Amino acid sequence: HSVGVIDETSFAKKGKKTACVQKQYCGSLGKLENCVVTVHLGYAAEDFHTLLDGDPFLPEETWSEDRVRCRLAGIPDDVVYRPKWQIALEQLRRALANGVRFSWLTFDEYYGGTPEFLRELETLGQNFVAEIPKSFYGWTQPPEILHRRHPRDGKSSPGRPRKPKLKVKNAKVGQVCNVLKHSPMLRKVPWEKFRVKEMTQGPLVVEAKRMPFWIKDAAGLPSHAYQLIIVRPVLHPDKVKFFLSNAPQSVPLEVLLLVAYSRWRIERIFEDTKGELGMDHFEVRKYLSIRRHLILTCVSHLFLAEFRLKHGGKKSRPHRLPVAQRHPHARASVAPRRPVFAPAG
């Protein structure tokens, strides 16, 4: 149950000369502010977690299109604007090329709401549990595909293959928020209660249900069946979250919730690296210097995480797997942890 976590963080900066800085949403301050945003890939397995990679996000209009400003900040000419999901995808490919493997990948609704990113993960054969926005579109039943043209569409050119398309009488794609309100199929699925994690004010208990869900592929046709997972806290049933997974239907719902609620791990990593390792205390302005600082922080955190795992001893604590009332072995070990990297001299 190794989980890769994709997320971003920000660093408030004054002035206009620091590479990639601009006025944008600063998560650390919770408002629009002058800051640098970086995209990261984390690794978590049982009690171990660390950062694997980090890259600054280069804004398009204020930086990528102004190559003079980029050169003054030390940004190479081959570094251009890329959406954050493309940066995350490059980091994932870099990790896979270096021998790191993830049983699962999870990320927030910005990445989950980007179909191109999900399709690329499918190409890599990567299992994921993605949070998706309430406006995410799809079908609760697979629509029928028409493989031949209607006579009134005109004669097709000889030798040219006919492209499949959706039948006109198919049900239209719907938003997942409307699926929860109006789907008779989902209404028949009972809610299941789970205790997903311990919090300072007590355990977080949620209700969850799932159903098959089809989304559009690159050609606008239905893909294979995904799993749509709806989760709501028992004490706050109006705060509903939606998740999408490409895992087989045989995977227990407990496991999918374990992955979906693993994002807190990278938030804890950001807290530790900023508070203890000075990730947000860099006083450099050049692009390469910022990248070096991010990578050195990743290496430092990895060293300390491995050291703590080896010398910290074992602590008795409940297992993180979400507990269902019907689960017979809720506190049993999920899987032994494997080392992230092979031993090196």
Side-chain angles (χ1 to χ4, degrees):
H1 283 272
S2 56
V3 181
V5 189
I6 294 171
D7 205 353
E8 58 199 58
T9 188
S10 52
F11 313 91
K13 291 291 175 183
K14 296 182 179 180
K16 300 180 180 180
K17 295 185 178 180
T18 303
C20 305
V21 70
Q22 76 166 10
K23 190 170 184 179
Q24 54 194 326
Y25 180 76
C26 183
S28 58
L29 300 178
K31 61 180 181 178
L32 289 175
E33 193 55 79
N34 213 46
C35 64
V36 175
V37 175
T38 56
V39 180
H40 294 267
L41 174 64
Y43 179 98
E46 291 193 351
D47 289 333
F48 175 85
H49 51 239
T50 189
L51 284 179
L52 296 182
D53 211 339
D55 284 290
F57 166 70
L58 184 68
E60 184 174 13
E61 295 181 0
T62 56
W63 280 97
S64 186
E65 297 178 359
D66 189 348
R67 301 317 301 184
V68 175
R69 187 185 185 190
C70 287
R71 294 187 188 100
L72 292 175
I75 302 175
D77 290 339
D78 59 343
V79 176
V80 296
Y81 164 78
R82 294 169 298 161
K84 295 170 186 175
W85 68 267
Q86 288 186 2
I87 298 176
L89 187 64
E90 182 180 334
Q91 293 177 352
L92 176 62
R93 287 173 173 161
R94 204 150 52 207
L96 296 176
N98 284 320
V100 182
R101 293 295 179 267
F102 305 99
S103 299
W104 300 92
L105 203 67
T106 187
F107 32 85
D108 65 21
E109 63 181 28
Y110 162 75
Y111 301 92
T114 307
E116 298 93 335
F117 181 61
L118 302 181
R119 288 196 289 266
E120 290 292 341
L121 295 182
E122 291 276 358
T123 303
L124 295 174
Q126 178 64 59
N127 287 334
F128 61 81
V129 179
E131 185 175 355
I132 55 176
K134 297 179 180 179
S135 58
F136 196 87
Y137 283 93
W139 295 276
T140 56
Q141 292 182 344
E144 294 184 61
I145 300 176
L146 186 66
H147 292 277
R148 62 181 181 84
R149 291 190 177 186
H150 196 273
R152 64 169 163 236
D153 291 339
K155 297 181 179 180
S156 59
S157 303
R160 180 179 298 176
R162 295 173 178 175
K163 296 182 179 179
K165 61 180 182 180
L166 297 176
K167 285 188 175 181
V168 178
K169 294 183 179 180
N170 274 317
K172 295 182 179 180
V173 292
Q175 295 180 336
V176 291
C177 60
N178 293 327
V179 170
L180 177 61
K181 295 178 181 178
H182 307 297
S183 172
M185 295 177 58
L186 187 61
R187 197 175 297 119
K188 296 178 182 179
V189 180
W191 291 98
E192 298 181 57
K193 288 185 179 180
F194 298 90
R195 188 178 73 246
V196 294
K197 62 180 179 179
E198 299 293 332
M199 304 180 67
T200 55
Q201 298 179 351
L204 173 62
V205 180
V206 301
E207 293 179 321
K209 62 169 69 179
R210 61 176 169 175
M211 69 176 300
F213 197 70
W214 287 261
I215 66 175
K216 289 184 178 181
D217 61 13
L221 301 177
S223 61
H224 64 85
Y226 287 80
Q227 293 194 59
L228 175 64
I229 307 154
I230 301 100
V231 184
R232 65 184 186 185
V234 172
L235 298 180
H236 304 282
D238 56 323
K239 296 182 179 180
V240 182
K241 287 189 176 183
F242 300 91
F243 299 91
L244 189 74
S245 178
N246 61 342
Q249 297 289 332
S250 58
V251 177
L253 187 55
E254 296 95 316
V255 175
L256 299 179
L257 291 177
L258 167 68
V259 179
Y261 281 89
S262 293
R263 287 218 326 265
W264 71 269
R265 309 290 287 273
I266 200 166
E267 295 294 341
R268 176 59 188 269
I269 295 173
F270 289 152
E271 181 181 347
D272 290 343
T273 51
K274 289 183 178 181
E276 305 293 339
L277 300 178
M279 186 169 70
D280 59 344
H281 295 164
F282 61 87
E283 297 295 335
V284 295
R285 291 180 174 176
K286 301 294 184 180
Y287 178 81
L288 184 58
S289 300
I290 297 175
R291 287 206 62 197
R292 285 172 175 166
H293 181 78
L294 294 176
I295 297 301
L296 284 174
T297 306
C298 293
V299 174
S300 302
H301 191 277
L302 174 61
F303 169 76
L304 293 174
E306 292 280 8
F307 186 90
R308 178 183 175 275
L309 187 70
K310 183 177 180 180
H311 301 283
K314 294 184 179 180
K315 297 181 180 179
S316 60
R317 65 184 67 182
H319 187 69
R320 290 196 179 93
L321 189 67
V323 179
Q325 294 178 358
R326 59 179 174 80
H327 199 290
H329 303 293
R331 297 176 183 269
S333 178
V334 178
R337 193 189 77 81
R338 299 180 178 86
V340 183
F341 305 112

